[in-house]
Amino acid sequence: MRSQRLLAVAAVLALALSACSPDAPPADDTGAANDATDDGSASMPPPAPPAPPSPPSVPEPPAPAPDRPVYDETVVNFGGYRTATFNSDADAVRAAWTGTLQAQPPPESPDACHYLMPEKTGPDGYGTAFMFEGGKFVRIDVDTAGLVAPGGLVTGMTAADVRAAFPDVEEQPHKYIDGKYLVVAPADGGEGRLVFEVDEQGTITEWRMGLEPQVHYVEGCS
């Protein structure tokens, strides 16, 4: 009887121990947990960050303006040409010119009005010519763009260009055509003058610098 009672007690203890033991750990369900939210719905990936704003468009820069001719006052100015000042003699002008100059037409006397011109002239004009009167250098004439006048002006430019460079320019009617003579006086009040001859279309056809009254001769020496 005693042995049966011990077996019964042992059985009761075994049942009690099994009731007090913790449950077995649940199977790893990490993947499922990551795929669902607390309310059982499937989780969504985080939204992609917004794209950075596009940089503002930059307009194309305007095309550069054509280069304006560069005026060099050491070449020609209200006082003369290079080292030859107005009222100097022919030798001074020949020394200042790089090349050969000849009288055209040959003067009847050294004091008569005449020009020294380059020995060879181009098909578009004489280029540069030097007027003498009374045996003195009194004026320079230019009819091509090879020499730049004060203000950065050359033949082929316009009366508007002259007015822009010299707002106080004096306008005189042309003697033969519906054009103009645009007369510029030096800022220092000197006696030299710059005259632009402008045709009907407002284009500079030639210009001259020199002393008065010779600078205003409209037909050269003739």
Side-chain angles (χ1 to χ4, degrees):
M1 288 292 292
R2 185 176 180 180
S3 61
Q4 292 179 348
R5 188 177 297 172
L6 290 173
L7 291 173
V9 172
V12 172
L13 289 174
L15 290 173
L17 289 173
S18 64
C20 294
S21 299
D23 295 337
D28 186 5
D29 198 23
T30 304
N34 289 340
D35 292 339
T37 60
D38 292 341
D39 60 1
S41 62
S43 64
M44 299 296 292
S54 300
S57 59
V58 179
E60 290 292 330
D67 291 338
R68 191 179 185 89
V70 178
Y71 167 62
D72 185 350
E73 66 177 352
T74 66
V75 176
V76 62
N77 53 63
F78 287 99
Y81 175 80
R82 296 190 184 275
T83 56
T85 59
F86 292 126
N87 279 323
S88 60
D89 60 18
D91 289 340
V93 174
R94 292 182 190 277
W97 179 258
T98 55
T100 302
L101 296 172
Q102 59 183 1
Q104 295 185 4
E108 296 179 359
S109 71
D111 289 339
C113 181
H114 66 280
Y115 278 97
L116 288 184
M117 293 185 177
E119 187 175 13
K120 295 181 179 180
T121 59
D124 298 327
Y126 55 81
T128 305
F130 303 93
M131 178 188 283
F132 288 79
E133 190 168 51
K136 302 298 182 181
F137 172 39
V138 293
R139 165 174 150 178
I140 179 172
D141 291 51
V142 180
D143 72 345
T144 63
L147 190 60
V148 182
L153 300 163
V154 296
T155 57
M157 296 179 74
T158 67
D161 294 320
V162 178
R163 296 186 188 100
F166 301 103
D168 296 330
V169 65
E170 177 188 351
E171 297 190 11
Q172 299 177 358
H174 198 285
K175 185 176 180 180
Y176 298 109
I177 61 174
D178 188 20
K180 296 180 182 298
Y181 301 114
L182 303 179
V183 183
V184 179
D188 62 3
E191 59 180 338
R193 293 292 184 272
L194 168 62
V195 179
F196 294 95
E197 190 165 335
V198 178
D199 66 11
E200 297 95 329
Q201 288 74 41
T203 302
I204 301 171
T205 57
E206 58 184 291
W207 58 272
R208 53 188 181 265
M209 293 186 74
L211 304 178
E212 296 181 306
Q214 292 89 352
V215 74
H216 298 297
Y217 295 173
V218 298
E219 297 174 357
C221 286
S222 60

